[in-house]
Amino acid sequence: MKRLCAPQELAEGQSRGFEIEGRKLLAVRKDGQVYAYHNRCPHRGIPLEWLPDQFLDASASLIQCATHGALFLIDSGECVAGPCAGQALEALSCVEDAEGIWVQS
Ligand code: FES
């Protein structure tokens, strides 16, 4: 497992980007639970964000691709609107303990 950050470094309702061994990842905390995905839009295979750590739509209830606006469910990565609707972000299994937030490497 690879450590992303300390638990308090990902607040409720926030998203963050990470680069672990050359792979771009993103994590979102929703209802206390952390979800992690590869930072790669299924539409064009490019990173989702234009601004650092900004992965959510205006309502902070969906993950959004900045390039063409695809929207993804936070808890499953499923694309529910946009050019890659029906596809999904690639999820990473993720655990959290007192030391940090960890993803499967
Ligand atoms: S690259 Fe993400 S919606 Fe087109």
Side-chain angles (χ1 to χ4, degrees):
M1 301 291 273
K2 297 282 181 228
R3 186 175 181 273
L4 294 182
C5 63
Q8 65 272 18
E9 290 175 320
L10 183 63
E12 174 63 31
Q14 289 200 327
S15 60
R16 280 190 64 178
F18 300 92
E19 192 157 338
I20 304 283
E21 295 173 345
R23 290 186 311 165
K24 289 178 180 293
L25 313 177
L26 71 103
V28 182
R29 187 187 295 280
K30 180 190 170 198
D31 298 332
Q33 179 77 34
V34 178
Y35 301 92
Y37 297 98
H38 288 277
N39 180 7
R40 194 167 56 225
C41 181
H43 181 217
R44 290 280 167 83
I46 58 175
L48 295 162
E49 84 282 31
W50 278 347
L51 294 170
D53 300 322
Q54 301 297 311
F55 292 93
L56 301 178
D57 72 344
S59 69
S61 61
L62 294 162
I63 296 168
Q64 182 170 42
C65 178
T67 301
H68 308 109
L71 295 169
F72 305 87
L73 299 179
I74 291 172
D75 54 5
S76 69
E78 184 191 345
C79 182
V80 292
C84 45
Q87 296 182 259
L89 298 173
E90 192 182 337
L92 288 146
S93 65
C94 182
V95 296
E96 180 172 16
D97 61 20
E99 305 299 315
I101 298 167
W102 307 78
V103 293
Q104 199 87 50
S105 57

